[in-house]
Amino acid sequence: MARLIETNTSPMQQVEVDLVTLDLVENALRNARYEMDEVLFRTALSPGIREQHDEFPLIANRDGKMMVGQFGLSIPDFLDNFDGTIEEGDVLLTSDPYSCGAAISHANDWLVVMPIFFDGRIVGWSSMFGHMSDVGGKTPASMPTDARTIYEEGVVIPPFRLYKKGVLDDDALRIILNQVRKPDWNRADLNGIVAACRTAARRVQELCARFGVDTYNSALDALLDRNYRAMKTLLAMVFEEGKTLSFTDYICDDGLGYGPYELKLSLTRTGDKVLLDFTGSSPQAQGPINYYINENLVRMFFGIYMITVADPQILWNDGFYPLVDVEIPDDSFWKPQYPAALNARNHGIGRVFDLFGGLLGQTNPDLLNAAGFSSSPHFMYSGTYGEGDRKGEWFQLYSIGFGGIPGRPIGDGPDGHSLWPSFVNIPCEYLESYYPLRIERWETVADTGGAGVHRGGNGVDVAYRFLEAGTIAIHDDRWLTYPWGVNGGEPGARGRKWLERADGTTEVLGSKVHDVPVARGDLLHFVTWGGGGWGDPLARDPDLVGLEVRRGLVSADGARRYGVVCDEAGTVDVAATESLRSELGAGRPDPLPTFDMGPPLETILERALEETGLPAPRPPIPR
């Protein structure tokens, strides 16, 4: 456990904080969190962070409880696992999930934690982690899809003091950077993360100087208490006492040919508290898809759904955590044992949001979204320039793709979009300027979003033309199971990947592959899954369906899923539409099913090769 060194040991006093001051402190912290983002974006070099914003900031109180953040991480777990002293000027770094209580979840994430001192006392913590495009290991981008242990995934940094009393441990950093393929990127990204944490520290110190330490600390307590009271009320309103809700979804495969992996989440309210229980999920995977999830992160995911639905203006924080118990069995998909591989945990990150959507919405349609986030698709391309001014120079791309966002109670899911609030795509101009490739297509794929009164977002087809020989890697999911629809909505389409070789042949690729050779002129089609639909498709406005046919979002044939008859120009035949809707409605169950998962799993497995071009995975086996 960390030993905190403070020169001022006088206790802080609890004081009354008026609402205006509370609002000023809250919004100052909110702005400081966004300033952390901007500092990093303007100093990072890797496209994953600089362009796509694959980083997550946090500002915590003295006890390590998150006050503002995007993704959340657990500073208390980090400190519990750090064996050493921490004093003013120290900056801590780790990339080892097993050494920080899963405050991060794979070795590509470099986590910086910094104490914030004011007048000799710790008044808070600033922290941020970012996904490094490469941390060494057996394959470029450090995400080998066949890894069985974390040792294959690159350098794993134990928790240590990167800065000791403000002085950089340059020798340690030099050793770390010697293990990676793009040390200039890693150094710049890490420097940006440290600068962002220092920026947050300055803003907190300014608040302490402006309002006084006691007022600042008391304001944080008030903000935590507000979330606690809000959650306590919501739990009593939404969940019936003693009733257990459960939901199950799947990860299609683990990269080694095993799957699907069953993921189960249950919720039971007892008194003021709820229990989130992952018992019943598959054992840890052979391959690298294990998602070593921290209990506090589970609480944070739960809170995002509950608090933001009730009042999106509330700045959610860790205050409600005492109301949420979490049970995660050892040796499971969610808590694998060291040294299990972890690099492909991005599929579990996506699926946990689908799990929460399916679980929480069972009691209230206003909380029920269809499936859609499902995964966080990754594409990597690397090699050496073969000619020209850059001949012999190494290039390496790591990028995040987007699929269809689920249909929701408030409307359609966006097409080809990210569920993370700050993620954006890498501009085509950037890709074509800095890498030997051309983007020949970047478009939504009609009809891939699940039909519903609120349509699921369409997936996208990004077509990469390679101008240099190299290797590619792909990390994705939902190639086998479907993003399910809800309240009568239909499932979204599955994702697909294939190469059109320059020699005229076509090669279907799995959703998890690495070190696939590509030649100059080869074309990769990276097609992502669509979001599930929400509500009865036959209730969708026929004119809106016709408009989407004109826009290329729905085909004329696909319009018939909504009971709409129209031509290729989107002109609706009103009489034929009424007749088709009457015909389709007559054969349906009443009420419509809450969930439409697609065909039974047994049928999906039987038809896998015929429908996807890929063999069905083998049943998982214990490690």
Side-chain angles (χ1 to χ4, degrees), residues 56 71-75 77-78 93-113 127-131 150 156-159 291-294 297 342 345 349:
F56 301 91
F71 188 74
L73 55 93
S74 182
I75 289 179
D77 285 282
F78 175 90
L93 172 66
T94 188
S95 69
D96 184 4
Y98 292 108
S99 295
C100 63
I104 50 174
S105 53
H106 71 166
N108 285 82
D109 288 335
W110 285 14
L111 168 64
V112 168
V113 175
S127 183
M128 175 181 275
F129 69 87
H131 180 106
I150 197 170
V156 182
I157 307 167
Y291 183 20
Y292 185 18
I293 192 169
N294 178 276
L297 194 60
L342 304 172
R345 93 289 185 247
I349 289 177

Side-chain angles (χ1 to χ4, degrees), residues 282-467:
S282 289
Q284 68 185 72
Q286 297 283 333
I289 62 169
N290 299 294
Y291 183 20
Y292 185 18
I293 192 169
N294 178 276
E295 284 84 354
N296 280 339
L297 194 60
V298 173
R299 294 181 176 97
M300 189 274 292
F301 287 156
F302 178 74
I304 287 176
Y305 267 90
M306 295 299 297
I307 292 177
T308 56
V309 166
D311 187 351
Q313 298 306 311
I314 291 179
L315 191 64
W316 47 266
N317 56 44
D318 287 5
F320 65 87
Y321 283 11
L323 294 168
V324 183
D325 292 329
V326 179
E327 180 68 32
I328 306 176
D330 291 336
D331 304 318
S332 68
F333 175 91
W334 305 104
K335 189 176 282 189
Q337 297 304 294
Y338 178 84
L342 304 172
N343 75 78
R345 93 289 185 247
N346 49 299
H347 314 304
I349 289 177
R351 202 67 91 254
V352 77
F353 279 93
D354 284 351
L355 280 172
F356 271 117
L359 180 72
L360 303 183
Q362 293 179 36
T363 62
N364 188 335
D366 290 337
L367 297 177
L368 183 57
N369 291 331
F373 187 62
S374 296
S375 178
S376 180
H378 292 357
F379 166 66
M380 287 76 85
Y381 170 45
S382 59
T384 303
Y385 286 95
E387 60 185 21
D389 295 340
R390 305 177 72 176
K391 183 176 180 179
E393 180 182 334
W394 175 258
F395 63 86
Q396 184 170 327
L397 170 65
Y398 159 83
S399 64
I400 303 169
F402 304 134
I405 299 300
R408 303 160 292 168
I410 61 173
D412 296 345
D415 304 302
H417 204 278
S418 173
L419 197 63
W420 296 121
S422 68
F423 275 20
V424 295
N425 66 283
I426 302 177
C428 296
E429 295 83 358
Y430 182 98
L431 290 172
E432 294 181 348
S433 295
Y434 289 95
Y435 296 96
L437 53 76
R438 293 290 178 267
I439 307 299
E440 297 201 353
R441 178 180 301 173
W442 193 308
E443 62 186 25
T444 62
V445 182
D447 301 330
T448 52
V453 66
H454 296 152
R455 178 176 61 82
N458 284 330
V460 294
D461 179 2
V462 184
Y464 300 92
R465 178 75 69 181
F466 303 113
L467 306 183

Side-chain angles (χ1 to χ4, degrees), residues 101-273:
I104 50 174
S105 53
H106 71 166
N108 285 82
D109 288 335
W110 285 14
L111 168 64
V112 168
V113 175
M114 192 179 90
I116 303 174
F117 279 80
F118 185 83
D119 191 24
R121 288 184 295 190
I122 293 178
V123 294
W125 299 83
S126 61
S127 183
M128 175 181 275
F129 69 87
H131 180 106
M132 298 294 159
S133 293
D134 189 279
V135 295
K138 62 187 290 187
T139 188
S142 314
M143 299 180 69
T145 57
D146 63 353
R148 293 176 181 265
T149 71
I150 197 170
Y151 303 124
E152 302 168 77
E153 300 174 344
V155 61
V156 182
I157 307 167
F160 82 106
R161 287 180 292 180
L162 177 67
Y163 286 82
K164 300 177 182 179
K165 296 183 180 180
V167 178
L168 173 66
D169 189 340
D170 197 53
D171 288 338
L173 182 57
R174 188 180 302 111
I175 293 170
I176 293 168
L177 295 180
N178 194 55
Q179 315 302 313
V180 309
R181 293 175 178 83
K182 296 289 290 182
D184 54 338
W185 284 9
N186 290 52
R187 182 184 289 273
D189 292 357
L190 178 59
N191 285 343
I193 291 172
V194 172
C197 290
R198 286 175 171 164
T199 298
R202 285 197 300 273
R203 299 298 174 254
V204 169
Q205 290 161 351
E206 289 167 0
L207 287 171
C208 291
R210 178 180 179 183
F211 297 108
V213 173
D214 292 338
T215 297
Y216 173 75
N217 187 65
S218 298
L220 300 192
D221 289 343
L223 293 173
L224 292 167
D225 181 64
R226 185 174 66 182
N227 270 241
Y228 179 91
R229 288 183 286 108
M231 181 63 75
K232 182 178 178 180
T233 300
L234 285 171
L235 296 180
M237 290 173 54
V238 174
F239 302 111
E240 182 181 337
E241 169 85 19
K243 181 179 180 181
T244 297
L245 302 173
S246 296
F247 191 75
T248 300
D249 207 339
Y250 299 89
I251 297 284
C252 297
D253 74 296
D254 68 350
L256 292 174
Y258 296 102
Y261 284 82
E262 183 176 358
L263 307 180
K264 183 177 180 180
L265 178 60
S266 299
L267 179 150
T268 306
R269 180 172 76 85
T270 304
D272 292 335
K273 302 178 70 172

